[in-house]
Amino acid sequence: MLAPLLAWYVQPRAAVNPIDIDTTAVYEGRGSVFDTDRIETVPDRKITVTQRVRGNVADSERSGNAVWDVTTTVDTDRSLPAADPHDALDFVPHRWVMDRRTTRPVHCCGEKPHIEGEAYLKFPFDVQKRSYQWWDNTLGDTVVLRYQGTEKVQGYTGYKFTGSVPPTRTGTRMVPGTLVDQPNRPQVLAEEWYANHGFVLIVDQATGRVLYAQTGPKRTLRAPGAKKDAAVLLDSEKVAFTTATQKEAVRQAERDSGQLRLVGTTLPIGAGIAGLVLAAVGGVLVARGRKEPEQPTPSDVPGTPQPTLTM
């Protein structure tokens, strides 16, 4: 029977990351941000992070990989709504290229930055109950996310993963000396530091789609060689998916995981059962056919005239 081919051949080929993706995730929270007009950090501001992912179909088809262009903006109420994303508090464009089946990073097609790890915007298909190396674009490195059981998002059950980032130097930035407690120096090449209070990701097991995401970014400046932060650029204990983003993620996960179950489980089982039933019915009909007595031909019936041979 050909039914098992649906699970063994078709289903793995159905579990591929799309090349025509166009989706937006919105995070909201509160925290401290650096006000460039007041030249100081102001507390308890609403923070909105918008992450848009669009597939580059032409580059994807040429390379055979999924090429996704990503823009991430960080805004306060002062910069929203923004006619130009460059007006945001922070604006980061980048490109992620991945193997369509494994979700592993592929280094081609103008990828920027050099992304590593097992997962970034999504997890691989068929998520396992183990730790994963998640790419943190602000850190510029991977973070270990550990499996913490299951949790519901909008009534839908997913796998929960958590992790954090200790204070880590990520680069340098030229700033006025007064920002890093060096008022006698007009310009200082300050150190940029980053930490994360905690990641919480809840993921659909079948598709690897993120149903809920929570992050706690902290970005600071230090004077060269200093041991303590001198200025806080951004600090929030919790910035998380909005309710609307959660509902849309769950809707898509239900649709996509349902299609995978249909191809990988429901149809093969149904087709297999139907095949067995048809085979059984066929066997019964064959057996009954063999038991039917042969009907006598006219020549075998007494008194029936025999045909005459003619030349």
Side-chain angles (χ1 to χ4, degrees), residues 12 79 98 100 135 142 156 189 232 257 263-264 274 287 295 305:
S79 58
M98 79 189 92
R100 295 190 65 193
W135 176 260
T142 57
Y156 187 86
L189 190 62
V232 174
S257 60
V263 174
Q295 296 296 324

Side-chain angles (χ1 to χ4, degrees), residues 300-311:
D300 296 329
V301 179
T304 302
Q306 298 298 314
T308 302
L309 295 178
T310 57
M311 296 296 293

